[in-house]
Every structure is written in C-alpha cells, then in structure tokens.
Amino acid sequence: MATSMNAARAYRRLKEVEEKKLTNRLLLLKLELEKSKKKIKETKDRTNAILSHKNNIEERQQQKEDELARQAREREIHAQMNARQRQRMAALREANLMNVMKAKQELAQAVIDEKKRFAVIIEKQKALELERAHQMQQLIREQRIAGMNARQAELDRKRDEAQAEFNRRVQEEAKKSKESEKKVAQMEQEELELIRQLESAQEQQRQAYKELEDALAASKKAVLEAQKAALGSSRTGGGKKKKREVGDALLHRDPTDRIGDHCKLTSALSATALLLASSQFFTGS
C-alpha cells in the first residue's frame, strides 16, 4: 500500500510539473500570437499610410500642374496689362517728372525755410538754457547764503542762550554772594553782640573776683577778731572749751561762705569759657 501511495504521489507530482510546463508554453504561445497580430496590424497600417501618401502626392502633383497652367494664363494676361500699364506709366512719368521737379524745388525751399526756423529755435533754446543756468546759479547762491544765514542764526541763538545761561549763573552767584554777605553780616553782628556780652561777663567776673577777695579779707579779719575775742574771754569762765566752740563756729561758717563764693566763681568761669569758644567758632567761620 505504501508503494502504491508513493507511486500515486510521484505520478501526481509528475502531472503537476507537466501542467506547469504546459501552462508556461501556452502563455508563450499566446504572447507570440499577440506579437504576430500586432505586427500584422502595424504592417497593414503602414501599407495604408503608404497608399494614402501616394494618393496625396498624385493629388498635389495634379494641383501643381493645374496651378502652373493657371499661372501661365495669368502671366500672359499680366503681360498684356503690363504693356498697357507701361504706356500709361510713360505718360505719367513725363507728367510726374515735371511735378517732381517742381516739388523738389518747393521741398528745397521748404528745407531752407525749416533750417532757418530751426536755427532761430536753437538760438532761443540756447538763450533759454543760458537763462536757466543763470537762474540755477542764482538759486544755488541764494540757497548757500540762506544756509549760511541759518547757520549764523543758529550760532547766534546758541550764543545768546549761552550768554543768558551765563548771566543767569552770574545772577545766581551774585544772589548767593549777597545772601552769604547778609549771613556774614548777621553773624558778625551776632559776634559783636557776643563779644559785648563776653566783655560784660568778664567785667562781672572781675567784679565777682573782687567781691570774693573782699569777702575773704573780711572773713579773715572776722576770724582774727574772733580769735582775739576768744583769747580775751578765756579768762572769764569759758576756758578752753568756749574758745574751741567759738573757733569751730567761725571755721564752720567761713568754709561755707567760701564754697558758695567758689561755686559762683566757677559758674562765671564756665560761662566765660563758653562765650570765648563761641567767639572763636564764629571768627573761624
């Protein structure tokens, strides 16, 4: 059974190969057939084209022959017409010759007149060009002058502005100077017042020193007198104890007075030093 199956399978494969070969051959045959039909059609088309071209050539040849015959007839007719035309033209030439000579004379005169007219126009144009050039030069000169005037005006304006600014600054400096002078005058006046007050304070200080010296002298004198009185009264029952009490009282009183005087003097000296410092500050300023 296996052998039969293999044989059947091999036979089937063989037939499939043959089928493929036949299919390929059929396709090749169909292609060749199509090529043959195409070539036959091309050959027929070329034959028809050649025959048509031949007919066209024959028709054109016939048309040329007809055209040549027609042209020969027309040339003969034209020759006759030309002969008559030449005769008329000869007569016309003679008539035209006179007219041409007359026209040439008139044209020559017209050319002369035109030249004269052109010469006059050219002279006028030259005069106009010269006038235009003169006007242009005048315009350029006026523009240059106007530009110079404008620049000069601008310079004058800037100079005036600078001068005005300078004057303003001078006035401002003068104003500041006046204010400074006024302030200095006020400060000098104040300085004089302070000096006067200082002199008055110094006078008061001298008076205070004098009063202090007088008070010290009086105190010293009182102490001496008290000591003398104490010595005199020691004989009358007071003894040394009473003398010591009186001396202590005097001693306790005198230093207090001296301290008060010294405080007054210190206050006066401080005020004097303050006034002197203020005077030096304003003088230095």
Side-chain angles (χ1 to χ4, degrees):
M1 293 180 63
T3 304
S4 299
M5 180 61 69
N6 291 330
R9 187 176 297 166
Y11 182 74
R12 180 180 60 77
R13 288 178 180 175
L14 181 62
K15 292 299 179 180
E16 288 177 355
V17 171
E18 290 180 356
E19 183 181 356
K20 288 180 180 180
K21 290 181 179 181
L22 287 172
T23 302
N24 292 332
R25 285 199 299 272
L26 290 173
L27 289 174
L28 291 173
L29 290 173
K30 288 179 180 180
L31 290 174
E32 291 296 328
L33 181 61
E34 290 294 330
K35 289 181 180 180
S36 298
K37 290 180 178 180
K38 186 176 181 181
K39 287 181 179 181
I40 291 169
K41 185 176 181 303
E42 290 176 354
T43 303
K44 288 181 177 180
D45 291 339
R46 184 177 294 178
T47 301
N48 293 328
I50 291 170
L51 292 174
S52 177
H53 182 66
K54 180 183 177 182
N55 293 329
N56 291 332
I57 291 173
E58 291 177 353
E59 290 178 358
R60 284 198 297 273
Q61 185 67 28
Q62 185 62 37
Q63 289 175 0
K64 286 182 180 179
E65 291 177 357
D66 295 339
E67 182 65 22
L68 289 173
R70 185 182 64 77
Q71 289 177 0
R73 290 193 299 272
E74 287 179 355
R75 281 196 296 272
E76 186 178 356
I77 294 169
H78 286 161
Q80 295 175 0
M81 293 176 66
N82 289 331
R84 290 192 295 270
Q85 188 69 23
R86 282 194 296 273
Q87 292 175 357
R88 286 195 299 271
M89 290 299 295
L92 288 173
R93 278 197 298 272
E94 292 178 359
N96 288 332
L97 183 59
M98 299 300 294
N99 292 330
V100 168
M101 291 178 66
K102 185 178 179 180
K104 284 182 178 180
Q105 292 176 356
E106 293 176 353
L107 181 60
Q109 187 63 37
V111 169
I112 293 171
D113 295 338
E114 190 70 16
K115 285 182 179 180
K116 290 180 180 180
R117 188 174 67 83
F118 281 150
V120 174
I121 292 172
I122 289 170
E123 290 297 328
K124 289 182 178 180
Q125 287 180 351
K126 287 181 179 180
L128 288 174
E129 291 294 333
L130 291 174
E131 181 66 22
R132 191 178 295 109
H134 179 70
Q135 291 177 358
M136 185 61 67
Q137 291 177 356
Q138 185 67 24
L139 179 61
I140 293 170
R141 188 181 299 108
E142 291 176 356
Q143 289 179 352
R144 186 183 298 110
I145 294 171
M148 293 174 63
N149 293 332
R151 288 192 294 274
Q152 185 64 35
E154 183 66 18
L155 290 174
D156 294 339
R157 184 184 66 79
K158 290 182 178 179
R159 190 182 300 110
D160 294 339
E161 290 179 355
Q163 185 64 35
E165 180 65 17
F166 176 76
N167 294 333
R168 185 186 67 78
R169 290 183 179 179
V170 170
Q171 292 176 359
E172 186 176 354
E173 292 296 330
K175 184 178 179 182
K176 290 181 180 179
S177 299
K178 288 181 179 179
E179 292 177 355
S180 299
E181 290 175 357
K182 184 177 179 182
K183 189 174 181 181
V184 168
Q186 292 177 356
M187 294 174 69
E188 289 176 350
Q189 188 67 28
E190 186 177 357
E191 181 184 11
L192 292 174
E193 180 64 23
L194 290 173
I195 291 172
R196 187 184 63 77
Q197 292 178 5
L198 179 60
E199 290 175 352
S200 177
Q202 289 176 350
E203 182 64 27
Q204 292 177 4
Q205 183 180 357
R206 286 192 295 271
Q207 185 65 29
Y209 276 124
K210 185 177 180 181
E211 291 177 356
L212 179 60
E213 290 175 354
D214 294 339
L216 290 173
S219 176
K220 184 177 180 181
K221 184 178 180 181
V223 169
L224 293 174
E225 290 178 355
Q227 287 178 356
K228 289 179 180 181
L231 291 173
S233 61
S234 62
R235 300 172 182 178
T236 58
K240 293 181 179 180
K241 183 177 181 181
K242 189 173 182 180
K243 179 181 178 182
R244 192 164 45 252
E245 290 177 356
V246 172
D248 291 338
L250 290 173
L251 289 173
H252 285 301
R253 180 177 176 272
D254 292 337
T256 303
D257 294 337
R258 286 196 297 271
I259 290 169
D261 294 335
H262 181 68
C263 290
K264 291 180 181 179
L265 181 60
T266 302
S267 298
L269 289 172
S270 299
T272 303
L274 180 60
L275 291 173
L276 286 172
S278 300
S279 176
Q280 289 176 0
F281 172 73
F282 288 115
T283 303
S285 300

